[in-house]
Amino acid sequence: MNQPTPQRPTPNQPTVHQPTRRTRPHALRDQLTAALAEIARIDRPLARSTAQIRYALWAPPRVVVVGRVKAGKSTLVNALIGDRVADTAATECTKVVAVYQDGAPSRAEVVKVGGARHSVRLTDGRPTELNCPTDEVAYLDRFLPSRLLRSMVLIDTPGLATITTGNEQATRRALIDGYGQTRDASVGADAAIFLFDATPRADEVAFLHDLGFSAVNTIGALAKADTIGEGAFGDEDPIATARTQSEKIARSMSAALLTVQPVAGLLAQTAQTGQFTEADADALSALAGLSDMQLELWLEAETPSPGTHAGRDRLLDLLGEYGLRHARAVAPQGAHAVNAWLQQRSGVDELRDNIDVNLTRSVLITRAVSTCTQIEHLALTHPAGGRIRSILRKVRQTPQAHTMEEFKAMHSLTRTDPESPWVGELRQVLVGSGIAGRIGLPVGAERGAMAAELDNRLRRVHEAGLLGGSAAEEQAVAVLLHTYSMMRRAI
């Protein structure tokens, strides 16, 4: 079975960018790193084994972008990377999974289902031919010298529910089926960004479940937010409408999604890739004096005036109707002002922040769980197993290590009993900042308020433990009882 191997740092490659925001999972990773270093000192074979485990622990998070065909996945990938590297047109290369990771020089390699690789030529920075049938391709490996990709590997997928089943099969083969075996033999995504253009359909929800992620490591994105509702020329701002709709979806799918946020991918792509020039700003400024009705007529005119057919097409390709209508007011200030407006309206900064903080935190926890499992295996197979287990036990006794139990309880509950009232409580405990944030109180809450809330929660979970429930609920209650007890002692 084939599985892509992360590229090890070389003198020609940048080192992995480390997150600057410290969380409990960051502290847990540091503790496990120290434990691995202590185990490595036992003997040389363990030094080699722990080096591999440490590399996997510190590797950049692997985030997969999934959704229906034409949902805007490749456009969003371009916006996040800051370059038009993912093809948004329908080519054979958009029918396979593409893995984007940091590396120089820029290149593309086809990885076949059996594991064989071959290079493909880039045209304008993008591959145009695979040089083999798409059904033989496991995924396309893309290496790019990119600041963002030093801290994250992005995985772009062909799309779900296509007219033919080929694209969806390619996505499933790479992300779920693992070339007919298990998902672990796949491209190994740690977290997901799930795009949809309306309330998620049943097949989308089913696919999300099949991916095996939980609400802690899946972000929903309401794509093409600039076209929601009545559209660009409606009375209601479509992005405001999309924000309201996103909040409703987030509430209804809280067991599957960490959050849902509106994203205008086209606006984000244009802002992030530097395509909008001063010449474009001049062309857009010429439209500033038109009324909305005149602008609509201009869009439909056989001979646009001011401007040309080519100029109109270019502005539409860069901005869409929403950007044309609203960005023309700032166009007289120049391309920089338009790009700043596009970025602010696109929602890409909020999405990046969610990825940097919430998805990264989730990946740290899942990697920690995997690291503990691998250390346990070393203990079972090495003569110094007792010493190895003792080193691991010290880590597991720390307060930070309890985060792994919270995560496992949340994952189990959302998979087997997603309607349980404990889902929301575990979710808050995992994503909140500080004791106050983890129990739903505002940052800076007084000690007395935190103590009262914790006492109330301890009473509830204790009573729930006496009543019983499903196995997943009983696990969740036991974990929360420990969590709240630790917090109560801490204040």
Side-chain angles (χ1 to χ4, degrees):
M1 294 182 294
N2 178 62
Q3 186 173 0
T5 303
Q7 297 294 299
R8 296 183 180 276
T10 69
N12 295 323
Q13 288 182 304
T15 55
V16 174
H17 169 72
Q18 306 303 340
T20 57
R21 308 186 198 194
R22 301 293 297 172
T23 63
R24 288 172 295 124
H26 283 96
L28 175 59
R29 182 177 61 180
D30 291 343
Q31 292 165 354
L32 285 169
T33 300
L36 288 168
E38 187 175 351
I39 294 170
R41 289 192 288 269
I42 295 175
D43 62 27
R44 186 164 304 200
L46 282 176
R48 288 194 294 268
S49 298
T50 53
Q52 295 173 352
I53 297 172
R54 184 189 183 281
Y55 183 81
L57 177 64
W58 282 83
R62 299 173 68 84
V63 180
V64 61
V65 182
V66 293
R68 296 180 94 80
V69 169
K70 300 296 184 182
K73 299 181 298 298
S74 296
T75 301
L76 181 61
V77 167
N78 287 337
L80 290 171
I81 293 176
D83 195 0
R84 292 200 63 165
V85 294
D87 203 335
T88 56
T91 69
E92 66 174 1
C93 292
T94 63
K95 298 177 182 178
V96 300
V97 172
V99 179
Y100 294 89
Q101 53 191 306
D102 183 53
S106 180
R107 64 193 188 277
E109 298 174 2
V110 168
V111 182
K112 292 190 175 182
V113 172
R117 287 176 175 258
H118 66 259
S119 298
V120 292
R121 182 178 301 174
L122 299 179
T123 303
D124 294 330
R126 297 188 293 274
T128 56
E129 295 182 356
L130 298 172
N131 299 327
C132 68
T134 56
D135 60 3
E136 295 181 7
V137 177
Y139 58 94
L140 182 67
D141 233 346
R142 291 283 282 113
F143 297 93
L144 304 159
S146 164
R147 181 180 59 83
L148 178 128
L149 294 177
R150 294 173 201 168
S151 58
M152 179 199 324
V153 174
L154 279 176
I155 304 169
D156 191 12
T157 57
L160 311 176
T162 60
I163 295 175
T164 61
T165 59
N167 288 5
E168 185 165 349
Q169 287 173 351
T171 302
R172 285 185 174 273
R173 182 170 65 242
L175 297 172
I176 298 172
D177 302 330
Y179 320 130
Q181 297 296 321
T182 65
R183 178 182 170 276
D184 289 337
S186 71
V187 290
D190 299 298
I193 301 172
F194 201 86
L195 268 68
F196 38 84
D197 54 11
T199 301
R201 302 165 178 86
D203 62 333
E204 293 174 317
V205 175
F207 184 81
L208 189 59
H209 183 272
D210 288 345
L211 278 176
F213 298 126
S214 71
V216 181
N217 56 357
T218 309
I219 289 177
L222 185 55
K224 303 180 181 179
D226 51 329
T227 67
I228 296 294
E230 298 177 353
F233 288 93
D235 293 333
E236 300 251 347
D237 185 336
I239 292 180
T241 302
R243 187 171 295 111
T244 300
Q245 188 171 337
S246 296
E247 292 169 356
K248 291 179 180 177
I249 296 172
R251 287 193 295 270
S252 66
M253 294 189 64
S254 61
L257 300 172
L258 175 66
T259 186
V260 178
Q261 52 185 99
V263 180
L266 178 62
L267 305 188
Q269 176 179 267
T270 298
Q272 294 294 307
T273 57
Q275 294 174 277
F276 193 87
T277 66
E278 290 299 340
D280 297 319
D282 291 341
L284 190 59
S285 296
L287 306 176
L290 300 182
S291 67
D292 288 344
M293 181 175 292
Q294 289 172 325
L295 182 62
E296 287 189 86
L297 293 173
W298 180 84
L299 286 168
E300 299 295 332
E302 290 187 12
T303 305
S305 180
T308 63
H309 283 286
R312 179 174 63 184
D313 290 346
R314 175 172 171 79
L315 288 177
L316 278 172
D317 287 344
L318 292 174
L319 307 173
E321 291 186 354
Y322 182 86
L324 268 176
R325 180 187 178 189
H326 296 284
R328 59 199 172 111
V330 298
Q333 302 172 43
H336 175 75
V338 173
N339 277 312
W341 182 90
L342 293 171
Q343 180 154 333
Q344 189 275 327
R345 297 302 292 162
S346 71
V348 70
D349 287 337
E350 292 85 349
L351 181 60
R352 276 181 169 157
D353 195 55
N354 250 315
I355 293 170
D356 291 343
V357 177
N358 294 318
L359 286 192
T360 297
R361 173 169 44 196
S362 170
V363 170
L364 290 175
I365 300 172
T366 57
R367 297 270 178 87
V369 171
S370 175
T371 298
C372 289
T373 300
Q374 292 177 78
I375 293 175
E376 288 169 351
H377 180 72
L378 290 179
L380 288 172
T381 57
H382 194 277
R387 184 176 172 186
I388 295 171
R389 278 188 288 270
S390 176
I391 294 170
L392 180 58
R393 191 180 305 118
K394 291 177 185 177
V395 176
R396 282 184 160 155
Q397 290 172 346
T398 65
Q400 291 82 6
H402 184 63
T403 302
M404 292 187 290
E405 301 307 312
E406 295 165 349
F407 184 87
K408 287 187 283 188
M410 174 72 172
H411 184 79
S412 177
L413 199 59
T414 55
R415 299 288 291 173
T416 62
D417 197 1
E419 300 303 319
S420 170
W422 300 112
V423 169
E425 204 147 327
L426 278 167
R427 172 198 182 98
Q428 184 69 45
V429 160
L430 278 163
V431 304
S433 297
I435 292 178
R438 298 180 71 199
I439 58 176
L441 295 180
V443 176
E446 294 182 354
R447 181 183 179 280
M450 290 191 291
E453 177 62 23
L454 283 167
D455 288 341
N456 178 55
R457 291 188 176 218
L458 281 165
R459 186 164 47 251
R460 283 193 297 103
V461 294
H462 181 71
E463 291 172 354
L466 296 176
L467 293 174
S470 67
E473 284 190 310
E474 289 182 356
Q475 178 191 10
V477 167
V479 167
L480 285 170
L481 184 62
H482 190 179
T483 297
Y484 295 147
S485 297
M486 286 194 302
M487 289 183 184
R488 189 65 178 85
R489 290 194 296 270
I491 62 170

